[in-house]
Structures are given as structure tokens and as C-alpha cells.
Amino acid sequence: QGKPEVTDIITEDFDENELLKLAASIEKNSEHPLAQAVVSKAKEKKISLLPKAATESGISIEAEPIDFSFDRPVQFKISLETHQGDLNFNLAEKSVLIDDQDNQYRPKEWQGGSGGHHLSGALVFPAVKEAKWIKLIIKDIGAKEMEFLWNLE
């Protein structure tokens, strides 16, 4: 075929899919044929994008796309933690997803409840059409909005 491809992943004491996820995330912007083979294998196996984390005004958030694919609802695994107050809000009301063409998507639902010092759950958005990147923005939590950007190319 003349095109390199990943045929085997051999690790010792490390999950193969985690390794492929990390390698694909590092190589995603490279034009080198071997880098593209790694990214293609991750896409073929539907390896998800890496989590992003941020802390603002004593609130820590980690966001990770779950099995991202175009033309399917976009889900994020979200974890929030604070020791300075209560997380008494509906995350769907404070979130928006934006793509590189400035399309804005409002969440369909937040499956994580509210209240307490620790929250986790799924934040679900409508399907995103082809995009070069997506950005999750969470507003009105702490002093600033928090942004999480994933490059999809």
C-alpha cells in the first residue's frame, strides 16, 4: 500500500489504549507519515481525546470528551471539586460548546446533580459537524470562565 500503519502495540504494565491515546495526542498535528499512522489507529479504535483540567477561585474542573465522533451527541465526563463553598448549580446552565466556525451548542443535559463539594457526571451536547477544534466554556464558576480546547485535526 505504501503507507505506514500501526499493526501492534506492545507495552509492559501500561494499558495499550492509554498509550495510543497519549501518542495520538502528541502526534495529531504532525504531517509525518508515522505520526499520521498513530493518529489513524487511534481514530480507528475510537480512542478518546485527552482530559483537560483547570482551577479557578478554588474550584477544580476536569473535562474529558467521551468517545468523540462527529454527527453523534458530544459527551464530556466532568469532575468538579471545591473546598470553598457549595457546587449548588446546574452545570448545563453554565456551559456552552463552540467550534472553529463559531457555532455554539447548548447542553442537552447534565447527568451529575448539584450541591456538595464534589460533583461528577456527563455533560451532553448536540452533535458537532466537521470542525477543526472544539472549546468547552464553563461560565460563572469562580471569578472567571474556564475554557477547555481540543484540536480535532
Side-chain angles (χ1 to χ4, degrees):
Q1 189 181 32
K3 224 173 134 177
E5 68 177 85
V6 175
T7 58
D8 297 300
I9 300 170
I10 300 168
T11 69
E12 188 172 313
D13 298 327
F14 201 82
D15 180 71
E16 288 180 20
N17 287 338
E18 276 301 305
L19 180 62
L20 186 57
K21 181 194 297 189
L22 291 169
S25 128
I26 292 166
E27 300 291 2
K28 68 182 177 243
N29 294 322
S30 174
E31 294 179 17
H32 192 280
L34 294 177
Q36 290 176 350
V38 169
V39 173
S40 291
K41 185 66 169 186
K43 287 179 181 177
E44 172 189 314
K45 291 184 77 166
K46 296 186 178 174
I47 299 296
S48 63
L49 301 168
L50 287 174
K52 306 281 182 167
T55 300
E56 178 61 46
S57 301
I59 298 174
S60 297
I61 299 178
E62 183 174 278
E64 178 178 9
I66 303 170
D67 296 326
F68 179 83
S69 181
F70 291 112
D71 299 323
R72 284 193 352 214
V74 179
Q75 293 188 50
F76 292 91
K77 176 183 170 188
I78 306 287
S79 299
L80 298 101
E81 183 176 313
T82 186
H83 294 286
Q84 300 178 353
D86 193 33
L87 299 170
N88 192 19
F89 51 80
N90 180 344
L91 192 60
E93 296 171 359
K94 297 183 173 289
S95 304
V96 64
L97 186 64
I98 298 173
D99 65 21
D100 63 299
Q101 298 177 31
D102 211 25
N103 295 312
Q104 294 192 10
Y105 306 86
R106 297 282 172 203
K108 292 166 53 173
E109 65 179 315
W110 162 239
Q111 303 168 346
S114 65
H117 296 286
H118 306 275
L119 288 178
S120 64
L123 187 60
V124 183
F125 289 85
V128 172
K129 295 181 174 72
E130 293 293 321
K132 294 179 182 174
W133 54 260
I134 55 173
K135 182 189 304 183
L136 173 63
I137 301 173
I138 301 176
K139 302 177 181 183
D140 302 325
I141 295 181
K144 296 181 180 178
E145 65 185 28
M146 294 189 198
E147 296 185 356
F148 305 89
L149 178 69
W150 289 270
N151 186 343
L152 304 175
E153 292 189 302

